[in-house]
Amino acid sequence: MSSTKILLLGGHGKIALKLTPLLLARSWHVTSVIRNPDQESELQALAKNKPGKLDVLIESLDDVAAEADAAKVLDKVKPQWVVWAAGAGGKGGAARAYAVDRDAAKAYISASAAASSVRKFLMISYIGSRRGTPPWWNAEDKKAADHVNTEVLPDYYKAKVDADEHLLAVAEKKRRGGDKDWQLINLRPGTLSDDAGTGKVKLGKTSSRGKVSREDVAAVAVALLARDDTRGYFDLLQGDERIEEAVEKVVKEGHDGVQGENLEEIYQRI
């Protein structure tokens, strides 16, 4: 039986470098997309003594302007799962944030939804990427999120929230079309740190304030991917629950991480 094929976008990002060996440890087949060929040897070192297979694909997300551009890569790799771990963030200014975090992300979301092989799309976003206010936030949570979104990284926020809403809309279109098994997984960590992972988190309905290690973000991403019943928005901070237990809890509770968003308006976009 062939292993699950995963397309990992943003393969040299800090989270992706933590994520890659965890994916390979599950015997999954990872194609990591990077734009700088000089980074390939670093990625291949992550595959050493891992049961999974790693391929490295040199492609620039900056060149992805339309769904057709993303579809070419999907046609080449034919993954079952797509993981978006890319992000221009504050690097390259506003233009690159919109080109990568919005336009390229939306192109890959649309192309993945249209590809018959793809069954899951995991987006790594961030905890404040929403237009609405979730009912579990308090006034300080909203103030903190608004500060980041309007004063610290306004262009990144606009790009990310647009892409996140596009993922919601595309997944809903597939559901209404009869494909109820397609998984959108939007993992939304708080402030990222390079601390060692603890293996313990708070997942689901969290404050907008707090931090979490990139190592734990990667571990939660793998735990969410490994199941067929994880869908929606999952906010993530460091906490007291073991990762597998935290994932099991939100699934059993029927977690709804999109509360507070204007879903009908979002769904009408597609």
Side-chain angles (χ1 to χ4, degrees):
M1 182 178 178
S2 60
S3 64
T4 298
K5 296 184 72 174
I6 302 170
L7 179 68
L8 176 58
L9 299 154
H12 195 257
K14 288 185 176 181
I15 292 176
L17 291 174
K18 303 287 187 183
L19 182 58
T20 299
L22 299 180
L23 298 173
L24 295 171
R26 297 260 183 157
S27 298
W28 294 335
H29 180 176
V30 178
T31 298
S32 184
V33 177
I34 58 175
R35 61 175 179 158
N36 183 352
D38 294 339
Q39 298 165 345
E40 181 171 357
S41 60
E42 182 181 355
L43 292 185
Q44 292 293 354
L46 299 176
K48 188 176 181 180
N49 298 323
K50 298 292 187 300
K53 180 182 178 182
L54 177 68
D55 294 324
V56 177
L57 183 61
I58 310 301
E59 294 277 353
S60 176
L61 293 173
D62 297 76
D63 298 333
V64 178
E67 180 180 338
D69 299 320
K72 291 177 183 177
V73 175
L74 292 172
D75 288 344
K76 185 183 299 183
V77 177
K78 292 182 172 53
Q80 283 100 28
W81 305 347
V82 176
V83 176
W84 180 275
K91 300 176 183 177
R96 189 154 188 265
Y98 292 119
V100 175
D101 296 305
R102 182 191 63 189
D103 298 341
K106 290 171 69 175
Y108 266 100
I109 290 165
S110 294
S112 296
S116 60
S117 70
V118 177
R119 304 307 304 150
K120 307 185 187 194
F121 192 107
L122 186 146
M123 166 71 76
I124 297 178
S125 186
Y126 76 103
I127 208 162
S129 179
R130 53 169 81 236
R131 296 184 206 274
T133 303
W136 57 87
W137 279 8
N138 62 28
E140 289 302 312
D141 291 329
K142 179 169 173 50
K143 181 179 178 181
D146 287 347
H147 172 69
V148 171
N149 293 341
T150 62
E151 298 180 43
V152 181
L153 292 170
D155 295 303
Y156 180 65
Y157 162 69
K158 292 173 186 175
K160 287 299 287 183
V161 78
D162 195 347
D164 287 350
E165 290 179 349
H166 185 70
L167 180 56
L168 275 178
V170 163
E172 178 63 10
K173 183 178 180 181
K174 288 185 74 67
R175 189 191 72 81
R176 292 181 181 182
D179 188 349
K180 297 181 180 180
D181 295 328
W182 200 80
Q183 284 176 261
L184 83 87
I185 305 169
N186 193 310
L187 182 57
R188 308 158 64 77
T191 302
L192 296 168
S193 80
D194 289 321
D195 298 340
T198 65
K200 293 185 177 182
V201 299
K202 182 172 178 58
L203 182 68
K205 297 177 180 178
T206 76
S207 168
S208 74
R209 296 166 292 145
K211 67 177 184 176
V212 63
S213 72
R214 289 179 172 87
E215 190 173 319
D216 282 332
V217 174
V220 172
V222 171
L224 292 170
L225 278 170
R227 300 177 60 128
D228 293 330
D229 53 4
T230 48
R231 291 176 179 79
Y233 282 11
F234 298 91
D235 294 353
L236 174 65
L237 299 175
Q238 65 182 21
D240 299 320
E241 289 187 291
R242 294 189 180 278
I243 289 171
E244 295 291 346
E245 293 170 359
V247 172
E248 179 68 20
K249 181 179 177 181
V250 292
V251 171
K252 280 189 173 181
E253 290 176 348
H255 170 68
D256 181 2
V258 298
Q259 281 180 286
E261 302 305 294
N262 188 338
L263 296 178
E264 285 310 311
E265 183 176 286
I266 292 170
Y267 295 159
Q268 288 171 10
R269 293 171 45 163
I270 299 295

